[in-house]
Amino acid sequence: MVPSEEENDFIVLENLTNGIDISGTTDKKASGTDINSLNSYEIAVRNAYSKSDYQENQQTSRQVSCRKTIFGIIIVLCSGVSVTATSQLTKSAYEYNFTSTSLANWLSRTSLMITYPIITMVLYFFGHSHRDTFKEAALICGKDGFTIKAATIRILPIVILTAVSTYCYYYALTFTSSTDVTAVFSSAAGFVYIFSLIWLSEPFNIFRLFAVILSIGGVATIAYSEGLGSFGVIGVILAAASAILSAIYRVVAKKFLISPSISQATFFLSLIGFYSMITLWIPTLILDMLDIEPLSVESFPWPLSGIVFFHVLYNFLLAIAIAVTYPIYASLGPLFAIPLNAAIDVGYRQEPFNAFKILGTSFLVAGFLIMTVPIPIMLRFSAKIRSCITCKEAKKR
């Protein structure tokens, strides 16, 4: 009977306790000196404690894994609802003759400032001082901590990228459905891989290349379903531009946000909110003065406050997901939003959802799921495929 993986681990642990080498050969020094100096009672006690410690560690590991999974599922559901609510409320705002997309963009990005103060209060409740929390969070600006110069150099380019990305996302909703915009935006994961190959020298992976091809094919299929030359295609192009800019932002952020803590992630968002507040009002004012996106009390929609709230909630959940659960759960929220948006668009807004849209959305979902698979699992899977091919060729010979 072949022992299981857990039994093998315990056998190794037990053999090490008894002075036996892992390879099965006897460690003469251990067996000749240590073991002879112990009587059978002491050996039995040592083995018993080793077994109990191993079982306790295994149980603790399972509990942590279960807790992370539960938190992850909750975050996926809540973030999916947040993305859906943001898209649908933005769509509703345009139905109220709201034209100032730049204002919605400025308010949404500026409101991110509240994320770090909220986390600071929560951490203080659990015994972390404000000084220690800030000292850790400020490391995202560099090894010397927070300075205006370092924060401006690192954050301002990201503010511009995320502002244009969010603007394209919102503006795309004036031309096409929330389902199309959400589905096309999910292709950002594929573009992240392309830019990582170029700028971060990430190793080439055939499965991720296939995911990129699926994502691009999905965008093209949805664009075709809208009818070439129609306004719907403009919405698809804007959503794709939003995904590309978002991918660039994520790759840039990877350079100095490596496994960030929850305080660092939220401080990063708050800095984005602060720099958005002091810069993004300028295009809003210019567009209003040029009468391109006029502001008026009559066209100020009630869904705007909901857009801001759910935008902040989604980013806040993303920051928490990075710290308390597995990375894959931080990515699945927008994917869960696709069927939610589809249900609302078809059932409430009576939006057409033809075969090409279903096919394109399926391509995008498949590509997104492949991109979320960790590289070690991909490598093991590819090794099994190579092994099967090698075995078949050996049998033919």
Side-chain angles (χ1 to χ4, degrees):
M1 180 178 176
V2 180
S4 65
E5 186 178 348
E6 292 184 2
E7 290 170 338
N8 281 330
D9 292 341
F10 178 70
I11 290 169
V12 171
L13 180 63
E14 190 172 31
N15 288 340
L16 287 173
T17 306
N18 288 317
I20 300 174
D21 186 51
I22 298 174
S23 62
T25 60
T26 306
D27 187 338
K28 293 181 181 179
K29 184 177 178 180
S31 60
T33 305
D34 298 335
I35 301 300
N36 291 336
S37 65
L38 299 173
N39 57 37
S40 58
Y41 174 75
E42 289 173 325
I43 294 174
V45 170
R46 178 181 290 186
N47 289 343
Y49 275 111
S50 299
K51 185 174 181 180
S52 63
D53 289 343
Y54 173 79
Q55 291 175 341
E56 184 177 348
N57 289 337
Q58 287 292 101
Q59 184 177 2
T60 302
S61 178
R62 284 194 293 269
Q63 289 175 348
V64 171
S65 178
C66 182
R67 186 163 60 247
K68 282 188 173 184
T69 301
I70 292 172
F71 284 148
I73 292 172
I74 293 172
I75 287 172
V76 168
L77 295 175
C78 293
S79 58
V81 170
S82 298
V83 172
T84 303
T86 301
S87 301
Q88 294 295 334
L89 287 172
T90 304
K91 192 76 174 174
S92 298
Y94 289 125
E95 293 172 355
Y96 278 82
N97 296 321
F98 179 68
T99 58
S100 185
T101 304
S102 57
L103 176 63
N105 188 23
W106 178 56
L107 292 175
S108 297
R109 306 307 295 171
T110 299
S111 60
L112 294 176
M113 283 194 299
I114 67 172
T115 53
Y116 177 71
I118 292 173
I119 283 298
T120 301
M121 290 186 288
V122 172
L123 292 177
Y124 182 77
F125 178 78
F126 285 99
H128 298 269
S129 67
H130 295 308
R131 184 176 181 179
D132 291 340
T133 301
F134 179 76
K135 187 176 180 181
E136 179 190 38
L139 292 176
I140 66 164
C141 295
K143 61 182 180 179
D144 297 328
F146 176 79
T147 62
I148 297 296
K149 181 180 178 180
T152 303
I153 291 172
R154 290 197 172 195
I155 302 300
L156 194 57
I158 290 177
V159 167
I160 295 171
L161 279 173
T162 55
V164 178
S165 175
T166 305
Y167 185 91
C168 289
Y169 185 94
Y170 287 162
Y171 201 54
L173 291 165
T174 63
F175 296 101
T176 189
S177 67
S178 301
T179 306
D180 290 354
V181 174
T182 310
V184 172
F185 186 78
S186 69
S187 65
F191 291 118
V192 166
Y193 177 63
I194 294 174
F195 296 135
S196 296
L197 286 175
I198 299 171
W199 294 325
L200 302 181
S201 300
E202 187 168 318
F204 177 78
N205 187 291
I206 189 65
F207 292 103
R208 295 200 163 183
L209 177 62
F210 179 63
V212 171
I213 295 172
L214 282 175
S215 298
I216 295 173
V219 173
T221 305
I222 291 178
Y224 178 78
S225 72
E226 292 287 349
L228 299 179
S230 66
F231 284 110
V233 173
I234 298 175
V236 173
I237 293 172
L238 286 170
S242 176
I244 292 171
L245 291 170
S246 177
I248 295 173
Y249 148 66
R250 296 180 199 183
V251 173
V252 171
K254 273 185 180 182
K255 282 185 172 291
F256 57 91
L257 278 180
I258 303 172
S259 300
S261 65
I262 191 169
S263 61
Q264 290 173 337
T266 51
F267 187 61
F268 178 70
L269 289 175
S270 290
L271 286 176
I272 289 176
F274 174 75
Y275 280 94
S276 297
M277 180 187 69
I278 62 177
T279 57
L280 296 185
W281 64 270
I282 299 173
T284 303
L285 182 61
I286 292 173
L287 291 172
D288 177 55
M289 292 175 64
L290 295 174
D291 206 32
I292 297 173
E293 293 186 359
L295 293 171
S296 63
V297 177
E298 293 78 12
S299 64
F300 204 82
W302 65 265
L304 193 58
S305 57
I307 295 169
V308 172
F309 172 78
F310 284 108
H311 181 81
V312 174
L313 179 61
Y314 170 70
N315 285 276
F316 188 71
L317 290 169
L318 199 63
I320 293 176
I322 292 171
V324 303
T325 187
Y326 299 111
I328 187 173
Y329 291 113
S331 307
L332 291 177
L335 190 67
F336 180 63
I338 295 174
L340 289 179
N341 272 315
I344 296 172
D345 286 343
V346 174
Y348 175 71
R349 299 186 184 277
Q350 305 298 316
E351 294 276 357
F353 206 67
N354 56 37
F356 284 107
K357 285 190 178 183
I358 294 173
L359 182 62
T361 302
S362 301
F363 284 161
L364 287 163
V365 170
F368 186 92
L369 288 174
I370 293 172
M371 292 301 300
T372 58
V373 176
I375 290 180
I377 295 177
M378 287 186 179
L379 293 176
R380 285 200 297 269
F381 183 70
S382 61
K384 287 181 180 180
I385 293 176
R386 286 196 301 268
S387 177
C388 292
I389 293 173
T390 305
C391 288
K392 287 180 180 180
E393 290 179 352
K395 288 180 180 178
K396 288 179 180 179
R397 292 176 184 176

